[in-house]
């Protein structure tokens, strides 16, 4: 019996920023996947993690990300990465969210950067107000100082929604972020593309979402 569907934002309701990373690297002739590898190295304590928990400011992030990427073979400034994060909304996923909201509770857990927080200048283009209004509750890493995959952030969501994790579905495009949700008893969906995700969501909820 499903009570709530909890969503990641980037790479789920929007296209993945990985495509923009790849374009940036190709245009500049720097090693493919350098941005993703920098994000993945020491992923709990690197520049990205610290900025998503709001432990450092944008200038420190810029310097630290540059140093970390340089150590892996090519310098990328942190400030150059920020504009690459705003993917395009996937209208079919937004439609699925609207249909879900009519029946179930909805939540959004987003690992974001203070420069891209919902109320910030760049965040306003990243997080479309009409979409964010479809969630009963939103948790932003940059505002609470915790980020996925810390299990506490998932617990905060289910407690606020007042639901049992065993009665929740959680969608994310990163396997590392699905693991804690799965361990809590949630049904998890790894989002590869909209059609696949919606199909799995229909199977989990019993709703027609398209």
């Amino acid at each position: 019996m499903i009570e709530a569907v909890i969503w990641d934002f980037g790479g789920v309701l929007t296209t993945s920023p990985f495509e923009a990373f790849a374009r940036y690297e190709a245009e500049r002739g720097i090693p493919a996947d350098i941005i993703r590898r920098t994000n993945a190295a020491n992923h709990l304590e690197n520049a990205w993690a610290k900025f998503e928990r709001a432990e450092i400011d944008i200038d420190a992030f810029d310097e630290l990300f540059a140093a970390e990427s340089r150590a892996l073979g090519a310098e990328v400034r942190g400030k150059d990465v920020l504009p690459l994060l705003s993917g395009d909304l996937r209208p079919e996923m937004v439609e699925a969210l609207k249909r879900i909201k009519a029946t179930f509770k909805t939540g959004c857990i987003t690992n974001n950067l203070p420069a891209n927080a919902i109320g910030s200048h760049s965040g306003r283009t990243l997080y479309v107000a009409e979409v964010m209004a479809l969630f009963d509750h939103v948790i932003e890493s940059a505002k609470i100082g915790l980020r996925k995959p810390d299990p506490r952030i998932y617990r905060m969501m289910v407690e606020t929604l007042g639901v049992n994790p065993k009665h929740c579905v959680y969608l994310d495009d990163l396997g590392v972020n699905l693991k804690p949700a799965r361990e809590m008893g949630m049904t998890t969906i790894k989002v590869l593309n909209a059609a696949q995700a919606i199909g799995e969501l229909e199977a989990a909820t019993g709703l027609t979402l398209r």
Side-chain angles (χ1 to χ4, degrees), residues 2-60:
I2 298 300
E3 298 176 51
V5 179
I6 303 165
W7 308 66
D8 173 32
F9 192 84
V12 173
L13 287 155
T14 64
T15 53
S16 172
F18 296 158
E19 296 159 27
F21 292 171
R23 275 198 307 275
Y24 177 93
E25 291 157 352
E27 285 164 6
R28 282 158 185 77
I30 57 179
D33 270 351
I34 186 84
I35 298 173
R36 288 177 71 172
R37 286 191 291 117
T38 305
N39 290 348
N42 191 22
H43 74 97
L44 296 179
E45 292 300 330
N46 62 12
W48 201 270
K50 288 175 179 171
F51 201 24
E52 285 186 335
R53 293 193 298 257
E55 293 170 4
I56 56 175
D57 65 14
I58 190 166
D59 293 320

Side-chain angles (χ1 to χ4, degrees), residues 30-205:
I30 57 179
D33 270 351
I34 186 84
I35 298 173
R36 288 177 71 172
R37 286 191 291 117
T38 305
N39 290 348
N42 191 22
H43 74 97
L44 296 179
E45 292 300 330
N46 62 12
W48 201 270
K50 288 175 179 171
F51 201 24
E52 285 186 335
R53 293 193 298 257
E55 293 170 4
I56 56 175
D57 65 14
I58 190 166
D59 293 320
F61 170 69
D62 182 58
E63 291 286 346
L64 203 48
F65 196 91
E68 289 173 355
S69 56
R70 202 161 49 238
L72 293 175
E75 180 177 292
V76 180
R77 303 299 305 189
K79 286 180 181 175
D80 288 345
V81 176
L82 296 178
L84 306 176
L85 297 176
S86 54
D88 298 319
L89 271 180
R90 290 170 161 157
E92 61 273 58
M93 292 296 279
V94 176
E95 177 61 26
L97 171 57
K98 286 178 181 172
R99 296 187 185 201
I100 291 281
K101 182 173 175 59
T103 305
F104 303 117
K105 293 181 179 179
T106 54
C108 177
I109 305 175
T110 177
N111 276 1
N112 62 359
L113 307 167
N116 284 335
I118 287 171
S120 68
H121 175 69
S122 53
R124 280 194 288 277
T125 56
L126 193 61
Y127 299 101
V128 182
E130 305 89 90
V131 177
M132 301 320 284
L134 297 170
F135 295 113
D136 295 312
H137 187 56
V138 177
I139 296 178
E140 298 180 73
S141 68
K143 291 189 175 170
I144 63 161
L146 286 178
R147 68 195 281 273
K148 299 175 290 188
D150 191 315
R152 289 175 292 175
I153 206 166
Y154 306 86
R155 283 201 292 272
M156 286 172 68
M157 177 58 79
V158 295
E159 284 166 11
T160 304
L161 291 177
V163 293
N164 183 326
K166 293 182 174 61
H167 300 157
C168 295
V169 179
Y170 177 65
L171 301 95
D172 205 299
D173 61 324
L174 298 179
V176 67
N177 292 340
L178 291 167
K179 190 173 176 223
R182 192 163 52 247
E183 287 173 349
M184 288 173 70
M186 294 189 200
T187 298
T188 57
I189 296 172
K190 184 172 183 180
V191 177
L192 306 173
N193 57 64
Q196 159 265 332
I198 291 169
E200 291 189 38
L201 199 47
E202 286 178 330
T205 61

